[in-house]
Amino acid sequence: MRNFKLTMEYEGTRYQGWQRLGNTEQTITGKLEAVLERMLGRSIEVHGSGRTDAGVHALGQVAHFKADTDMSAEEIFTYLNRYLPMDIRILSVQEMPLRFHSRLHAVSKTYCYRLYLGEKPPVFERNTLWCIGHELDLEAMERGAADCLGAHDFQSFCAAKRGKKSTVRTIYECSVSSQGDLVTLRVSGNGFLYHMVRILAGTLVEIGEGVRSADSVPGLLQAKDRTLAGPTLPSCGLTLMEVRYPESL
Amino acid sequence: MRNFKLTMEYEGTRYQGWQRLGNTEQTITGKLEAVLERMLGRSIEVHGSGRTDAGVHALGQVAHFKADTDMSAEEIFTYLNRYLPMDIRILSVQEMPLRFHSRLHAVSKTYCYRLYLGEKPPVFERNTLWCIGHELDLEAMERGAADCLGAHDFQSFCAAKRGKKSTVRTIYECSVSSQGDLVTLRVSGNGFLYHMVRILAGTLVEIGEGVRSADSVPGLLQAKDRTLAGPTLPSCGLTLMEVRYPESL
């Protein structure tokens, strides 16, 4: 048995997300597993670093699968890219020790949420950003973003019901940058709760609109109440950029 | 009567081109004229700087239309962007003297043809470039491109049958640039023949592949024979970047 790590990108527009119970036809794993089954002649299970929601994109999603095959990583790379649709692209295939697990060993993930301030988004990028349609106070947003740094209980920024699992996460980077009318929110952390980045983006946008104050984030974190944070922004603006692993595994 | 200049961008993937006799449903002008008719309550004819073929994109196409209306350029801009589909976007609406004509007064046009050297294109850009799948000798292509500069009879680079009209055009810029695996061919001229940029791109790619020599362009121009030039590359790689007009009109 061998273990292969896949690094990949996809435009999520057409898909119901990374994985979905039941109908797997329009999921990223569904497409991957169908091509792997065709390639290897038996059914293969693909495990990802985490699920991305319907419509969310990735430029650096990581997954792994185990298979008993003589194919080289290079051959698998070529085969997958050839038979996967054009909106899913394998960036690398790497053989790993059998113990490697793309979700359990991930030490950090980075997401970008892209906002467009103009009335209508540039046509070439229309599927990969969210159009706000007016100016935002970026300085206020930066101050709000900075208050997310470090270890906090992000219950207020989680769409899932309160359960037994910890909602504490550590944020390594949370920054706001802009280039013309495009504003990019970039967030790195050791893990993310359900809808966390999109709720964070919605809250920072409200700060940028002056609907809530730039120093409101600490209070929101403390409240541990989802209803107090901003809206969940649409999935089209969100892209999983990178998943990191320890140097030695 | 007033005259309005539209500058616009579109992703051509879904369209049968700028204009098409008969069924106008899936053309850029068809979409524009439908929204203008809805806005003004009567049928409006849109004239473009030139046609783009099915699947060709634009980031700076220019058109004009005449209408008897009290609406401001700003109001027309907002209305059009609101009701046009997401893959067509108006960049500006400007009122012009009645004599202004987007095709007759154009003094230069710039096109880019984008090539990707890797096996599979980046997913976010898959509709706006043509995937070559191997390396190209860019230095040889640059030499070939430089031989296109100036006034020449481009009959060899024209898909239309030889007619009475002149096939002489003046090329102001013809350059090859690259960034990673993305190679951009940029061509400016006072006008272009049918399929000219795509045949030029196909010829330069063959030079880059070593199929024809870097100094073969002058001979091709002299031959005035379409069958001697390279293939017409697919429309998806081509984008109309800019149309220029005299400062004073």
Side-chain angles (χ1 to χ4, degrees):
Chain A
M1 194 59 90
R2 296 161 72 196
N3 192 9
F4 294 95
K5 175 187 177 188
L6 304 175
T7 307
M8 75 194 79
E9 57 178 38
Y10 45 85
E11 191 194 293
T13 314
R14 287 201 307 137
Y15 296 97
Q16 298 183 303
W18 173 256
Q19 199 167 29
R20 191 186 152 103
L21 297 175
N23 178 16
T24 59
E25 189 44 48
Q26 277 306 318
T27 62
I28 310 295
T29 45
K31 292 288 175 192
L32 280 169
E33 289 175 351
V35 176
L36 285 169
E37 179 168 346
R38 176 180 173 163
M39 181 178 86
L40 298 168
R42 73 194 74 101
S43 108
I44 296 286
E45 211 176 330
V46 171
H47 302 271
S49 74
R51 293 173 186 192
T52 51
D53 287 335
V56 172
H57 319 293
L59 292 176
Q61 170 69 295
V62 175
H64 73 282
F65 68 93
K66 288 181 180 164
D68 185 14
T69 175
D70 290 333
M71 288 179 78
S72 68
E74 175 73 21
E75 287 167 336
I76 294 172
F77 173 85
T78 301
Y79 190 99
L80 290 180
N81 273 331
R82 180 161 175 193
Y83 291 106
L84 283 168
M86 291 298 281
D87 50 8
I88 304 178
R89 178 192 184 214
I90 304 296
L91 299 171
S92 72
V93 179
Q94 200 184 342
E95 186 166 1
M96 298 296 280
L98 270 178
R99 67 181 177 283
F100 170 76
H101 193 289
S102 56
R103 179 170 54 83
L104 300 176
H105 291 142
V107 292
S108 81
K109 282 186 190 177
T110 303
Y111 283 94
C112 278
Y113 197 95
R114 304 205 309 151
L115 302 164
Y116 187 71
L117 305 183
E119 284 188 39
K120 191 168 184 171
V123 292
F124 287 2
E125 295 163 78
R126 66 190 186 281
N127 293 330
T128 56
L129 40 75
W130 173 241
C131 192
I132 294 280
H134 54 73
E135 292 297 313
L136 292 172
D137 180 346
L138 299 182
E139 220 172 284
M141 291 172 72
E142 277 167 35
R143 282 195 284 151
D147 283 335
C148 296
L149 293 173
H152 302 283
D153 187 331
F154 283 95
Q155 180 69 48
S156 292
F157 298 89
C158 175
K161 288 198 183 103
R162 186 169 278 164
K164 285 178 185 164
K165 284 187 181 172
S166 168
T167 46
V168 174
R169 295 293 184 275
T170 302
I171 299 301
Y172 307 125
E173 178 187 353
C174 189
S175 64
V176 179
S177 61
S178 71
Q179 193 176 24
D181 275 343
L182 181 71
V183 173
T184 304
L185 170 67
R186 191 179 165 93
V187 194
S188 270
N190 66 348
F192 291 91
L193 305 169
Y194 188 49
H195 283 181
M196 178 169 155
V197 181
R198 289 160 61 185
I199 299 170
L200 208 57
T203 306
L204 292 175
V205 163
E206 286 192 342
I207 288 176
E209 289 169 335
V211 170
R212 56 177 81 229
S213 74
D215 59 6
S216 59
V217 171
L220 278 174
L221 289 167
Q222 213 159 13
K224 296 176 197 171
D225 181 351
R226 167 68 189 96
T227 66
L228 298 179
T232 306
L233 292 194
S235 56
C236 59
L238 187 63
T239 304
L240 172 59
M241 302 298 288
E242 193 186 5
V243 185
R244 289 203 164 195
Y245 295 90
E247 288 293 322
S248 63
L249 267 173
Chain B
M1 194 60 93
R2 296 160 72 196
N3 193 9
F4 294 95
K5 176 186 176 190
L6 303 174
T7 307
M8 76 193 79
E9 56 179 38
Y10 45 86
E11 191 194 292
T13 313
R14 287 200 307 138
Y15 296 96
Q16 296 183 305
W18 173 255
Q19 200 168 32
R20 194 186 150 104
L21 297 175
N23 177 16
T24 58
E25 188 45 48
Q26 277 305 318
T27 63
I28 310 295
T29 45
K31 292 288 176 194
L32 280 168
E33 290 175 351
V35 176
L36 285 170
E37 180 168 345
R38 175 179 173 166
M39 181 177 86
L40 298 168
R42 72 196 73 102
S43 111
I44 296 285
E45 211 175 330
V46 172
H47 302 270
S49 73
R51 293 175 187 191
T52 51
D53 288 335
V56 172
H57 319 294
L59 292 176
Q61 170 71 293
V62 175
H64 74 281
F65 69 93
K66 289 180 179 164
D68 185 12
T69 175
D70 292 332
M71 287 179 78
S72 68
E74 175 72 20
E75 286 167 336
I76 295 172
F77 173 85
T78 301
Y79 190 100
L80 290 179
N81 273 332
R82 179 159 176 196
Y83 290 105
L84 283 167
M86 291 298 281
D87 50 10
I88 304 178
R89 178 193 183 214
I90 304 296
L91 299 172
S92 73
V93 179
Q94 200 184 343
E95 187 166 0
M96 299 295 282
L98 270 177
R99 67 183 177 282
F100 171 76
H101 193 289
S102 57
R103 179 170 54 81
L104 299 176
H105 292 143
V107 292
S108 80
K109 283 186 188 175
T110 303
Y111 283 94
C112 278
Y113 197 96
R114 305 204 311 151
L115 302 162
Y116 187 71
L117 306 182
E119 284 187 38
K120 191 169 185 173
V123 292
F124 287 2
E125 295 163 79
R126 67 190 186 281
N127 292 330
T128 56
L129 41 75
W130 174 241
C131 191
I132 295 281
H134 53 72
E135 292 296 313
L136 293 172
D137 180 344
L138 299 183
E139 221 173 284
M141 291 172 72
E142 277 166 36
R143 282 195 284 150
D147 284 335
C148 297
L149 292 173
H152 302 283
D153 187 331
F154 282 95
Q155 180 69 49
S156 293
F157 297 89
C158 175
K161 287 198 185 106
R162 184 170 280 164
K164 285 178 185 165
K165 285 187 181 171
S166 168
T167 47
V168 174
R169 294 293 184 275
T170 302
I171 299 301
Y172 306 124
E173 178 188 353
C174 190
S175 65
V176 179
S177 61
S178 71
Q179 194 176 24
D181 276 342
L182 180 71
V183 174
T184 303
L185 170 67
R186 191 180 165 92
V187 195
S188 271
N190 65 348
F192 291 92
L193 306 168
Y194 188 49
H195 283 182
M196 179 169 154
V197 181
R198 289 160 62 184
I199 299 170
L200 207 58
T203 306
L204 291 176
V205 163
E206 286 193 343
I207 287 175
E209 288 170 334
V211 171
R212 55 177 81 229
S213 74
D215 58 5
S216 60
V217 171
L220 277 173
L221 288 167
Q222 213 158 17
K224 296 174 196 173
D225 181 350
R226 166 69 189 97
T227 66
L228 298 180
T232 306
L233 293 193
S235 56
C236 59
L238 187 62
T239 303
L240 172 58
M241 301 300 287
E242 192 186 5
V243 186
R244 290 203 164 195
Y245 295 90
E247 288 291 323
S248 62
L249 265 173

